[in-house]
Amino acid sequence: MVKTNNFQLRYANCWEDVDILLQYIDRGSGANYLSIASGGENSLSLLCLDPASVHVIDVNPLQLYLLELKMAAIKELEWENCKAFLGYANDGNRKNTYQLLRSNLSTEARAFWDQRTRQISKGIIYDGRVERNFKFFAKYIRPLIHNTAKCKELMLPKSETAQSLFYQDHWNTRKWRTIFKIFFSNTV
């Protein structure tokens, strides 16, 4: 069994654009791919290319346990239930759903997730360090820069040009750039 005391779940989601990955990867039915697990989505997306195999590695075993749980949910649940279990929709039954999925997990992954029922009940897509940092930033730091009305205005449907202009003219202020750079720096 892998000792996981020195690890934490860094990413609960992949934040890269999978369309770019799939657009530029050397395609070919029957190809073999090697992928870093991270949040799992990019590794799973490689299955759309009809590969001979997808091998997934990560220096952090917890990222592999996350991928195992996502794979179990995809395999065993209907799409709407899968999304709800992961955290993309409301679901008050995640702990019970996990009990149905845990037999699909390796011994190590099962041991890890058995100890994280609180995180499972909240939705595992919020459990990574990066996601917790985003949540903290959105709750405590962003309001110091932009109020709720400005956030709602940012999210209103706009053309790509209008969205870009709004970002440059109203969102991307010196204060935003400075605080964002400090908060998301390696040091912080």
Side-chain angles (χ1 to χ4, degrees), residues 46-71:
L46 293 171
L47 297 172
C48 296
L49 302 177
D50 192 28
S53 65
V54 176
H55 299 272
V56 182
I57 59 172
D58 205 295
V59 69
N60 182 349
L62 306 186
Q63 300 302 144
L64 296 169
Y65 303 161
L66 173 66
L67 178 59
E68 281 190 53
L69 185 56
K70 287 181 177 182
M71 288 171 50

mmCIF file with all atom_site columns, all heavy atoms in Angstrom, residues 46-71:
data_model
loop_
_atom_site.group_PDB
_atom_site.id
_atom_site.type_symbol
_atom_site.label_atom_id
_atom_site.label_alt_id
_atom_site.label_comp_id
_atom_site.label_asym_id
_atom_site.label_entity_id
_atom_site.label_seq_id
_atom_site.pdbx_PDB_ins_code
_atom_site.Cartn_x
_atom_site.Cartn_y
_atom_site.Cartn_z
_atom_site.occupancy
_atom_site.B_iso_or_equiv
_atom_site.pdbx_formal_charge
_atom_site.auth_seq_id
_atom_site.auth_comp_id
_atom_site.auth_asym_id
_atom_site.auth_atom_id
_atom_site.pdbx_PDB_model_num
ATOM 1   N N   . LEU A 1 46 ? -8.769  11.051 -23.923 1.00 0.00 ? 46 LEU A N   1
ATOM 2   C CA  . LEU A 1 46 ? -7.978  10.313 -24.918 1.00 0.00 ? 46 LEU A CA  1
ATOM 3   C C   . LEU A 1 46 ? -8.714  9.066  -25.405 1.00 0.00 ? 46 LEU A C   1
ATOM 4   O O   . LEU A 1 46 ? -8.447  8.573  -26.498 1.00 0.00 ? 46 LEU A O   1
ATOM 5   C CB  . LEU A 1 46 ? -6.615  9.935  -24.342 1.00 0.00 ? 46 LEU A CB  1
ATOM 6   C CG  . LEU A 1 46 ? -5.679  11.106 -24.065 1.00 0.00 ? 46 LEU A CG  1
ATOM 7   C CD1 . LEU A 1 46 ? -4.443  10.636 -23.299 1.00 0.00 ? 46 LEU A CD1 1
ATOM 8   C CD2 . LEU A 1 46 ? -5.291  11.811 -25.353 1.00 0.00 ? 46 LEU A CD2 1
ATOM 9   N N   . LEU A 1 47 ? -9.642  8.575  -24.612 1.00 0.00 ? 47 LEU A N   1
ATOM 10  C CA  . LEU A 1 47 ? -10.429 7.408  -25.015 1.00 0.00 ? 47 LEU A CA  1
ATOM 11  C C   . LEU A 1 47 ? -11.297 7.708  -26.242 1.00 0.00 ? 47 LEU A C   1
ATOM 12  O O   . LEU A 1 47 ? -11.669 6.794  -26.969 1.00 0.00 ? 47 LEU A O   1
ATOM 13  C CB  . LEU A 1 47 ? -11.287 6.918  -23.857 1.00 0.00 ? 47 LEU A CB  1
ATOM 14  C CG  . LEU A 1 47 ? -10.508 6.430  -22.629 1.00 0.00 ? 47 LEU A CG  1
ATOM 15  C CD1 . LEU A 1 47 ? -11.449 6.159  -21.465 1.00 0.00 ? 47 LEU A CD1 1
ATOM 16  C CD2 . LEU A 1 47 ? -9.691  5.205  -22.977 1.00 0.00 ? 47 LEU A CD2 1
ATOM 17  N N   . CYS A 1 48 ? -11.584 8.989  -26.485 1.00 0.00 ? 48 CYS A N   1
ATOM 18  C CA  . CYS A 1 48 ? -12.376 9.378  -27.661 1.00 0.00 ? 48 CYS A CA  1
ATOM 19  C C   . CYS A 1 48 ? -11.621 9.145  -28.959 1.00 0.00 ? 48 CYS A C   1
ATOM 20  O O   . CYS A 1 48 ? -12.219 9.176  -30.035 1.00 0.00 ? 48 CYS A O   1
ATOM 21  C CB  . CYS A 1 48 ? -12.759 10.855 -27.568 1.00 0.00 ? 48 CYS A CB  1
ATOM 22  S SG  . CYS A 1 48 ? -13.841 11.227 -26.182 1.00 0.00 ? 48 CYS A SG  1
ATOM 23  N N   . LEU A 1 49 ? -10.318 8.930  -28.873 1.00 0.00 ? 49 LEU A N   1
ATOM 24  C CA  . LEU A 1 49 ? -9.499  8.756  -30.069 1.00 0.00 ? 49 LEU A CA  1
ATOM 25  C C   . LEU A 1 49 ? -9.377  7.298  -30.497 1.00 0.00 ? 49 LEU A C   1
ATOM 26  O O   . LEU A 1 49 ? -8.604  6.986  -31.390 1.00 0.00 ? 49 LEU A O   1
ATOM 27  C CB  . LEU A 1 49 ? -8.101  9.348  -29.829 1.00 0.00 ? 49 LEU A CB  1
ATOM 28  C CG  . LEU A 1 49 ? -8.070  10.827 -29.452 1.00 0.00 ? 49 LEU A CG  1
ATOM 29  C CD1 . LEU A 1 49 ? -6.645  11.274 -29.163 1.00 0.00 ? 49 LEU A CD1 1
ATOM 30  C CD2 . LEU A 1 49 ? -8.695  11.674 -30.542 1.00 0.00 ? 49 LEU A CD2 1
ATOM 31  N N   . ASP A 1 50 ? -10.122 6.412  -29.854 1.00 0.00 ? 50 ASP A N   1
ATOM 32  C CA  . ASP A 1 50 ? -10.093 4.989  -30.163 1.00 0.00 ? 50 ASP A CA  1
ATOM 33  C C   . ASP A 1 50 ? -8.675  4.412  -30.066 1.00 0.00 ? 50 ASP A C   1
ATOM 34  O O   . ASP A 1 50 ? -8.166  3.809  -31.016 1.00 0.00 ? 50 ASP A O   1
ATOM 35  C CB  . ASP A 1 50 ? -10.676 4.733  -31.560 1.00 0.00 ? 50 ASP A CB  1
ATOM 36  C CG  . ASP A 1 50 ? -10.942 3.256  -31.799 1.00 0.00 ? 50 ASP A CG  1
ATOM 37  O OD1 . ASP A 1 50 ? -11.189 2.520  -30.815 1.00 0.00 ? 50 ASP A OD1 1
ATOM 38  O OD2 . ASP A 1 50 ? -10.886 2.830  -32.960 1.00 0.00 ? 50 ASP A OD2 1
ATOM 39  N N   . PRO A 1 51 ? -8.040  4.593  -28.909 1.00 0.00 ? 51 PRO A N   1
ATOM 40  C CA  . PRO A 1 51 ? -6.654  4.135  -28.768 1.00 0.00 ? 51 PRO A CA  1
ATOM 41  C C   . PRO A 1 51 ? -6.566  2.634  -28.500 1.00 0.00 ? 51 PRO A C   1
ATOM 42  O O   . PRO A 1 51 ? -7.539  2.007  -28.087 1.00 0.00 ? 51 PRO A O   1
ATOM 43  C CB  . PRO A 1 51 ? -6.172  4.903  -27.540 1.00 0.00 ? 51 PRO A CB  1
ATOM 44  C CG  . PRO A 1 51 ? -7.410  5.010  -26.698 1.00 0.00 ? 51 PRO A CG  1
ATOM 45  C CD  . PRO A 1 51 ? -8.537  5.218  -27.697 1.00 0.00 ? 51 PRO A CD  1
ATOM 46  N N   . ALA A 1 52 ? -5.376  2.097  -28.701 1.00 0.00 ? 52 ALA A N   1
ATOM 47  C CA  . ALA A 1 52 ? -5.110  0.728  -28.264 1.00 0.00 ? 52 ALA A CA  1
ATOM 48  C C   . ALA A 1 52 ? -5.008  0.727  -26.746 1.00 0.00 ? 52 ALA A C   1
ATOM 49  O O   . ALA A 1 52 ? -5.480  -0.196 -26.085 1.00 0.00 ? 52 ALA A O   1
ATOM 50  C CB  . ALA A 1 52 ? -3.817  0.211  -28.885 1.00 0.00 ? 52 ALA A CB  1
ATOM 51  N N   . SER A 1 53 ? -4.393  1.795  -26.197 1.00 0.00 ? 53 SER A N   1
ATOM 52  C CA  . SER A 1 53 ? -4.272  1.887  -24.746 1.00 0.00 ? 53 SER A CA  1
ATOM 53  C C   . SER A 1 53 ? -4.031  3.325  -24.322 1.00 0.00 ? 53 SER A C   1
ATOM 54  O O   . SER A 1 53 ? -3.522  4.138  -25.094 1.00 0.00 ? 53 SER A O   1
ATOM 55  C CB  . SER A 1 53 ? -3.117  1.014  -24.238 1.00 0.00 ? 53 SER A CB  1
ATOM 56  O OG  . SER A 1 53 ? -1.880  1.512  -24.727 1.00 0.00 ? 53 SER A OG  1
ATOM 57  N N   . VAL A 1 54 ? -4.437  3.619  -23.098 1.00 0.00 ? 54 VAL A N   1
ATOM 58  C CA  . VAL A 1 54 ? -4.123  4.880  -22.439 1.00 0.00 ? 54 VAL A CA  1
ATOM 59  C C   . VAL A 1 54 ? -3.515  4.500  -21.105 1.00 0.00 ? 54 VAL A C   1
ATOM 60  O O   . VAL A 1 54 ? -4.173  3.864  -20.272 1.00 0.00 ? 54 VAL A O   1
ATOM 61  C CB  . VAL A 1 54 ? -5.373  5.765  -22.219 1.00 0.00 ? 54 VAL A CB  1
ATOM 62  C CG1 . VAL A 1 54 ? -5.003  7.019  -21.431 1.00 0.00 ? 54 VAL A CG1 1
ATOM 63  C CG2 . VAL A 1 54 ? -6.024  6.120  -23.542 1.00 0.00 ? 54 VAL A CG2 1
ATOM 64  N N   . HIS A 1 55 ? -2.262  4.845  -20.907 1.00 0.00 ? 55 HIS A N   1
ATOM 65  C CA  . HIS A 1 55 ? -1.572  4.591  -19.647 1.00 0.00 ? 55 HIS A CA  1
ATOM 66  C C   . HIS A 1 55 ? -1.508  5.905  -18.891 1.00 0.00 ? 55 HIS A C   1
ATOM 67  O O   . HIS A 1 55 ? -1.101  6.927  -19.449 1.00 0.00 ? 55 HIS A O   1
ATOM 68  C CB  . HIS A 1 55 ? -0.159  4.045  -19.892 1.00 0.00 ? 55 HIS A CB  1
ATOM 69  C CG  . HIS A 1 55 ? -0.179  2.748  -20.627 1.00 0.00 ? 55 HIS A CG  1
ATOM 70  N ND1 . HIS A 1 55 ? -0.277  1.536  -19.980 1.00 0.00 ? 55 HIS A ND1 1
ATOM 71  C CD2 . HIS A 1 55 ? -0.145  2.476  -21.956 1.00 0.00 ? 55 HIS A CD2 1
ATOM 72  C CE1 . HIS A 1 55 ? -0.291  0.572  -20.878 1.00 0.00 ? 55 HIS A CE1 1
ATOM 73  N NE2 . HIS A 1 55 ? -0.213  1.119  -22.088 1.00 0.00 ? 55 HIS A NE2 1
ATOM 74  N N   . VAL A 1 56 ? -1.928  5.872  -17.626 1.00 0.00 ? 56 VAL A N   1
ATOM 75  C CA  . VAL A 1 56 ? -2.003  7.087  -16.832 1.00 0.00 ? 56 VAL A CA  1
ATOM 76  C C   . VAL A 1 56 ? -1.045  6.973  -15.654 1.00 0.00 ? 56 VAL A C   1
ATOM 77  O O   . VAL A 1 56 ? -1.038  5.963  -14.939 1.00 0.00 ? 56 VAL A O   1
ATOM 78  C CB  . VAL A 1 56 ? -3.446  7.332  -16.336 1.00 0.00 ? 56 VAL A CB  1
ATOM 79  C CG1 . VAL A 1 56 ? -3.535  8.627  -15.555 1.00 0.00 ? 56 VAL A CG1 1
ATOM 80  C CG2 . VAL A 1 56 ? -4.418  7.340  -17.509 1.00 0.00 ? 56 VAL A CG2 1
ATOM 81  N N   . ILE A 1 57 ? -0.244  8.020  -15.487 1.00 0.00 ? 57 ILE A N   1
ATOM 82  C CA  . ILE A 1 57 ? 0.721   8.066  -14.399 1.00 0.00 ? 57 ILE A CA  1
ATOM 83  C C   . ILE A 1 57 ? 0.564   9.384  -13.656 1.00 0.00 ? 57 ILE A C   1
ATOM 84  O O   . ILE A 1 57 ? -0.031  10.330 -14.173 1.00 0.00 ? 57 ILE A O   1
ATOM 85  C CB  . ILE A 1 57 ? 2.175   7.939  -14.913 1.00 0.00 ? 57 ILE A CB  1
ATOM 86  C CG1 . ILE A 1 57 ? 2.504   9.072  -15.887 1.00 0.00 ? 57 ILE A CG1 1
ATOM 87  C CG2 . ILE A 1 57 ? 2.402   6.579  -15.551 1.00 0.00 ? 57 ILE A CG2 1
ATOM 88  C CD1 . ILE A 1 57 ? 3.956   9.152  -16.300 1.00 0.00 ? 57 ILE A CD1 1
ATOM 89  N N   . ASP A 1 58 ? 1.074   9.439  -12.462 1.00 0.00 ? 58 ASP A N   1
ATOM 90  C CA  . ASP A 1 58 ? 1.154   10.696 -11.722 1.00 0.00 ? 58 ASP A CA  1
ATOM 91  C C   . ASP A 1 58 ? 2.095   10.476 -10.557 1.00 0.00 ? 58 ASP A C   1
ATOM 92  O O   . ASP A 1 58 ? 2.094   9.403  -9.949  1.00 0.00 ? 58 ASP A O   1
ATOM 93  C CB  . ASP A 1 58 ? -0.230  11.140 -11.219 1.00 0.00 ? 58 ASP A CB  1
ATOM 94  C CG  . ASP A 1 58 ? -0.297  12.639 -11.010 1.00 0.00 ? 58 ASP A CG  1
ATOM 95  O OD1 . ASP A 1 58 ? 0.414   13.156 -10.120 1.00 0.00 ? 58 ASP A OD1 1
ATOM 96  O OD2 . ASP A 1 58 ? -1.052  13.305 -11.741 1.00 0.00 ? 58 ASP A OD2 1
ATOM 97  N N   . VAL A 1 59 ? 2.890   11.466 -10.245 1.00 0.00 ? 59 VAL A N   1
ATOM 98  C CA  . VAL A 1 59 ? 3.806   11.382 -9.115  1.00 0.00 ? 59 VAL A CA  1
ATOM 99  C C   . VAL A 1 59 ? 3.021   11.328 -7.801  1.00 0.00 ? 59 VAL A C   1
ATOM 100 O O   . VAL A 1 59 ? 3.501   10.803 -6.808  1.00 0.00 ? 59 VAL A O   1
ATOM 101 C CB  . VAL A 1 59 ? 4.824   12.555 -9.127  1.00 0.00 ? 59 VAL A CB  1
ATOM 102 C CG1 . VAL A 1 59 ? 4.149   13.879 -8.841  1.00 0.00 ? 59 VAL A CG1 1
ATOM 103 C CG2 . VAL A 1 59 ? 5.968   12.299 -8.168  1.00 0.00 ? 59 VAL A CG2 1
ATOM 104 N N   . ASN A 1 60 ? 1.795   11.838 -7.820  1.00 0.00 ? 60 ASN A N   1
ATOM 105 C CA  . ASN A 1 60 ? 0.930   11.869 -6.651  1.00 0.00 ? 60 ASN A CA  1
ATOM 106 C C   . ASN A 1 60 ? -0.112  10.757 -6.773  1.00 0.00 ? 60 ASN A C   1
ATOM 107 O O   . ASN A 1 60 ? -1.013  10.830 -7.603  1.00 0.00 ? 60 ASN A O   1
ATOM 108 C CB  . ASN A 1 60 ? 0.255   13.237 -6.563  1.00 0.00 ? 60 ASN A CB  1
ATOM 109 C CG  . ASN A 1 60 ? -0.638  13.394 -5.364  1.00 0.00 ? 60 ASN A CG  1
ATOM 110 O OD1 . ASN A 1 60 ? -0.949  12.437 -4.665  1.00 0.00 ? 60 ASN A OD1 1
ATOM 111 N ND2 . ASN A 1 60 ? -1.072  14.616 -5.117  1.00 0.00 ? 60 ASN A ND2 1
ATOM 112 N N   . PRO A 1 61 ? -0.038  9.723  -5.945  1.00 0.00 ? 61 PRO A N   1
ATOM 113 C CA  . PRO A 1 61 ? -0.998  8.610  -6.063  1.00 0.00 ? 61 PRO A CA  1
ATOM 114 C C   . PRO A 1 61 ? -2.445  9.031  -5.828  1.00 0.00 ? 61 PRO A C   1
ATOM 115 O O   . PRO A 1 61 ? -3.354  8.393  -6.355  1.00 0.00 ? 61 PRO A O   1
ATOM 116 C CB  . PRO A 1 61 ? -0.532  7.620  -4.992  1.00 0.00 ? 61 PRO A CB  1
ATOM 117 C CG  . PRO A 1 61 ? 0.292   8.414  -4.036  1.00 0.00 ? 61 PRO A CG  1
ATOM 118 C CD  . PRO A 1 61 ? 0.895   9.524  -4.829  1.00 0.00 ? 61 PRO A CD  1
ATOM 119 N N   . LEU A 1 62 ? -2.671  10.114 -5.101  1.00 0.00 ? 62 LEU A N   1
ATOM 120 C CA  . LEU A 1 62 ? -4.044  10.547 -4.837  1.00 0.00 ? 62 LEU A CA  1
ATOM 121 C C   . LEU A 1 62 ? -4.755  10.976 -6.115  1.00 0.00 ? 62 LEU A C   1
ATOM 122 O O   . LEU A 1 62 ? -5.961  10.814 -6.247  1.00 0.00 ? 62 LEU A O   1
ATOM 123 C CB  . LEU A 1 62 ? -4.065  11.694 -3.826  1.00 0.00 ? 62 LEU A CB  1
ATOM 124 C CG  . LEU A 1 62 ? -3.333  11.454 -2.506  1.00 0.00 ? 62 LEU A CG  1
ATOM 125 C CD1 . LEU A 1 62 ? -3.561  12.608 -1.548  1.00 0.00 ? 62 LEU A CD1 1
ATOM 126 C CD2 . LEU A 1 62 ? -3.716  10.124 -1.884  1.00 0.00 ? 62 LEU A CD2 1
ATOM 127 N N   . GLN A 1 63 ? -3.994  11.501 -7.076  1.00 0.00 ? 63 GLN A N   1
ATOM 128 C CA  . GLN A 1 63 ? -4.585  11.876 -8.363  1.00 0.00 ? 63 GLN A CA  1
ATOM 129 C C   . GLN A 1 63 ? -5.071  10.631 -9.104  1.00 0.00 ? 63 GLN A C   1
ATOM 130 O O   . GLN A 1 63 ? -6.099  10.664 -9.777  1.00 0.00 ? 63 GLN A O   1
ATOM 131 C CB  . GLN A 1 63 ? -3.591  12.660 -9.208  1.00 0.00 ? 63 GLN A CB  1
ATOM 132 C CG  . GLN A 1 63 ? -3.098  13.958 -8.596  1.00 0.00 ? 63 GLN A CG  1
ATOM 133 C CD  . GLN A 1 63 ? -4.187  14.948 -8.268  1.00 0.00 ? 63 GLN A CD  1
ATOM 134 O OE1 . GLN A 1 63 ? -4.103  15.645 -7.272  1.00 0.00 ? 63 GLN A OE1 1
ATOM 135 N NE2 . GLN A 1 63 ? -5.220  15.037 -9.078  1.00 0.00 ? 63 GLN A NE2 1
ATOM 136 N N   . LEU A 1 64 ? -4.357  9.527  -8.945  1.00 0.00 ? 64 LEU A N   1
ATOM 137 C CA  . LEU A 1 64 ? -4.786  8.264  -9.562  1.00 0.00 ? 64 LEU A CA  1
ATOM 138 C C   . LEU A 1 64 ? -6.033  7.723  -8.872  1.00 0.00 ? 64 LEU A C   1
ATOM 139 O O   . LEU A 1 64 ? -6.925  7.166  -9.522  1.00 0.00 ? 64 LEU A O   1
ATOM 140 C CB  . LEU A 1 64 ? -3.651  7.244  -9.509  1.00 0.00 ? 64 LEU A CB  1
ATOM 141 C CG  . LEU A 1 64 ? -2.412  7.633  -10.327 1.00 0.00 ? 64 LEU A CG  1
ATOM 142 C CD1 . LEU A 1 64 ? -1.242  6.708  -9.998  1.00 0.00 ? 64 LEU A CD1 1
ATOM 143 C CD2 . LEU A 1 64 ? -2.706  7.627  -11.808 1.00 0.00 ? 64 LEU A CD2 1
ATOM 144 N N   . TYR A 1 65 ? -6.125  7.908  -7.550  1.00 0.00 ? 65 TYR A N   1
ATOM 145 C CA  . TYR A 1 65 ? -7.317  7.473  -6.822  1.00 0.00 ? 65 TYR A CA  1
ATOM 146 C C   . TYR A 1 65 ? -8.531  8.291  -7.252  1.00 0.00 ? 65 TYR A C   1
ATOM 147 O O   . TYR A 1 65 ? -9.641  7.767  -7.360  1.00 0.00 ? 65 TYR A O   1
ATOM 148 C CB  . TYR A 1 65 ? -7.126  7.603  -5.316  1.00 0.00 ? 65 TYR A CB  1
ATOM 149 C CG  . TYR A 1 65 ? -5.944  6.847  -4.756  1.00 0.00 ? 65 TYR A CG  1
ATOM 150 C CD1 . TYR A 1 65 ? -5.417  7.182  -3.517  1.00 0.00 ? 65 TYR A CD1 1
ATOM 151 C CD2 . TYR A 1 65 ? -5.337  5.798  -5.443  1.00 0.00 ? 65 TYR A CD2 1
ATOM 152 C CE1 . TYR A 1 65 ? -4.333  6.500  -2.987  1.00 0.00 ? 65 TYR A CE1 1
ATOM 153 C CE2 . TYR A 1 65 ? -4.255  5.112  -4.924  1.00 0.00 ? 65 TYR A CE2 1
ATOM 154 C CZ  . TYR A 1 65 ? -3.754  5.474  -3.698  1.00 0.00 ? 65 TYR A CZ  1
ATOM 155 O OH  . TYR A 1 65 ? -2.676  4.802  -3.169  1.00 0.00 ? 65 TYR A OH  1
ATOM 156 N N   . LEU A 1 66 ? -8.317  9.571  -7.505  1.00 0.00 ? 66 LEU A N   1
ATOM 157 C CA  . LEU A 1 66 ? -9.390  10.424 -8.006  1.00 0.00 ? 66 LEU A CA  1
ATOM 158 C C   . LEU A 1 66 ? -9.872  9.927  -9.364  1.00 0.00 ? 66 LEU A C   1
ATOM 159 O O   . LEU A 1 66 ? -11.072 9.804  -9.605  1.00 0.00 ? 66 LEU A O   1
ATOM 160 C CB  . LEU A 1 66 ? -8.903  11.876 -8.118  1.00 0.00 ? 66 LEU A CB  1
ATOM 161 C CG  . LEU A 1 66 ? -9.862  12.860 -8.777  1.00 0.00 ? 66 LEU A CG  1
ATOM 162 C CD1 . LEU A 1 66 ? -11.114 13.052 -7.925  1.00 0.00 ? 66 LEU A CD1 1
ATOM 163 C CD2 . LEU A 1 66 ? -9.156  14.191 -9.017  1.00 0.00 ? 66 LEU A CD2 1
ATOM 164 N N   . LEU A 1 67 ? -8.928  9.623  -10.235 1.00 0.00 ? 67 LEU A N   1
ATOM 165 C CA  . LEU A 1 67 ? -9.290  9.107  -11.559 1.00 0.00 ? 67 LEU A CA  1
ATOM 166 C C   . LEU A 1 67 ? -10.067 7.799  -11.429 1.00 0.00 ? 67 LEU A C   1
ATOM 167 O O   . LEU A 1 67 ? -11.064 7.590  -12.118 1.00 0.00 ? 67 LEU A O   1
ATOM 168 C CB  . LEU A 1 67 ? -8.041  8.916  -12.419 1.00 0.00 ? 67 LEU A CB  1
ATOM 169 C CG  . LEU A 1 67 ? -8.267  8.326  -13.815 1.00 0.00 ? 67 LEU A CG  1
ATOM 170 C CD1 . LEU A 1 67 ? -9.211  9.186  -14.649 1.00 0.00 ? 67 LEU A CD1 1
ATOM 171 C CD2 . LEU A 1 67 ? -6.937  8.139  -14.518 1.00 0.00 ? 67 LEU A CD2 1
ATOM 172 N N   . GLU A 1 68 ? -9.645  6.930  -10.541 1.00 0.00 ? 68 GLU A N   1
ATOM 173 C CA  . GLU A 1 68 ? -10.372 5.670  -10.334 1.00 0.00 ? 68 GLU A CA  1
ATOM 174 C C   . GLU A 1 68 ? -11.819 5.928  -9.933  1.00 0.00 ? 68 GLU A C   1
ATOM 175 O O   . GLU A 1 68 ? -12.741 5.272  -10.437 1.00 0.00 ? 68 GLU A O   1
ATOM 176 C CB  . GLU A 1 68 ? -9.706  4.828  -9.239  1.00 0.00 ? 68 GLU A CB  1
ATOM 177 C CG  . GLU A 1 68 ? -8.497  4.073  -9.667  1.00 0.00 ? 68 GLU A CG  1
ATOM 178 C CD  . GLU A 1 68 ? -8.046  3.092  -8.597  1.00 0.00 ? 68 GLU A CD  1
ATOM 179 O OE1 . GLU A 1 68 ? -8.887  2.277  -8.134  1.00 0.00 ? 68 GLU A OE1 1
ATOM 180 O OE2 . GLU A 1 68 ? -6.866  3.129  -8.215  1.00 0.00 ? 68 GLU A OE2 1
ATOM 181 N N   . LEU A 1 69 ? -12.021 6.889  -9.015  1.00 0.00 ? 69 LEU A N   1
ATOM 182 C CA  . LEU A 1 69 ? -13.383 7.174  -8.562  1.00 0.00 ? 69 LEU A CA  1
ATOM 183 C C   . LEU A 1 69 ? -14.216 7.777  -9.689  1.00 0.00 ? 69 LEU A C   1
ATOM 184 O O   . LEU A 1 69 ? -15.380 7.412  -9.869  1.00 0.00 ? 69 LEU A O   1
ATOM 185 C CB  . LEU A 1 69 ? -13.361 8.105  -7.343  1.00 0.00 ? 69 LEU A CB  1
ATOM 186 C CG  . LEU A 1 69 ? -14.708 8.388  -6.693  1.00 0.00 ? 69 LEU A CG  1
ATOM 187 C CD1 . LEU A 1 69 ? -15.432 7.101  -6.285  1.00 0.00 ? 69 LEU A CD1 1
ATOM 188 C CD2 . LEU A 1 69 ? -14.528 9.302  -5.487  1.00 0.00 ? 69 LEU A CD2 1
ATOM 189 N N   . LYS A 1 70 ? -13.630 8.667  -10.465 1.00 0.00 ? 70 LYS A N   1
ATOM 190 C CA  . LYS A 1 70 ? -14.363 9.232  -11.603 1.00 0.00 ? 70 LYS A CA  1
ATOM 191 C C   . LYS A 1 70 ? -14.712 8.151  -12.616 1.00 0.00 ? 70 LYS A C   1
ATOM 192 O O   . LYS A 1 70 ? -15.818 8.121  -13.155 1.00 0.00 ? 70 LYS A O   1
ATOM 193 C CB  . LYS A 1 70 ? -13.549 10.349 -12.264 1.00 0.00 ? 70 LYS A CB  1
ATOM 194 C CG  . LYS A 1 70 ? -13.503 11.622 -11.437 1.00 0.00 ? 70 LYS A CG  1
ATOM 195 C CD  . LYS A 1 70 ? -12.717 12.719 -12.136 1.00 0.00 ? 70 LYS A CD  1
ATOM 196 C CE  . LYS A 1 70 ? -12.742 13.999 -11.333 1.00 0.00 ? 70 LYS A CE  1
ATOM 197 N NZ  . LYS A 1 70 ? -12.029 15.103 -12.016 1.00 0.00 ? 70 LYS A NZ  1
ATOM 198 N N   . MET A 1 71 ? -13.780 7.243  -12.874 1.00 0.00 ? 71 MET A N   1
ATOM 199 C CA  . MET A 1 71 ? -14.045 6.155  -13.810 1.00 0.00 ? 71 MET A CA  1
ATOM 200 C C   . MET A 1 71 ? -15.167 5.248  -13.298 1.00 0.00 ? 71 MET A C   1
ATOM 201 O O   . MET A 1 71 ? -16.031 4.824  -14.075 1.00 0.00 ? 71 MET A O   1
ATOM 202 C CB  . MET A 1 71 ? -12.767 5.346  -14.048 1.00 0.00 ? 71 MET A CB  1
ATOM 203 C CG  . MET A 1 71 ? -11.741 6.086  -14.885 1.00 0.00 ? 71 MET A CG  1
ATOM 204 S SD  . MET A 1 71 ? -10.115 5.281  -14.975 1.00 0.00 ? 71 MET A SD  1
ATOM 205 C CE  . MET A 1 71 ? -10.530 3.611  -15.420 1.00 0.00 ? 71 MET A CE  1
#
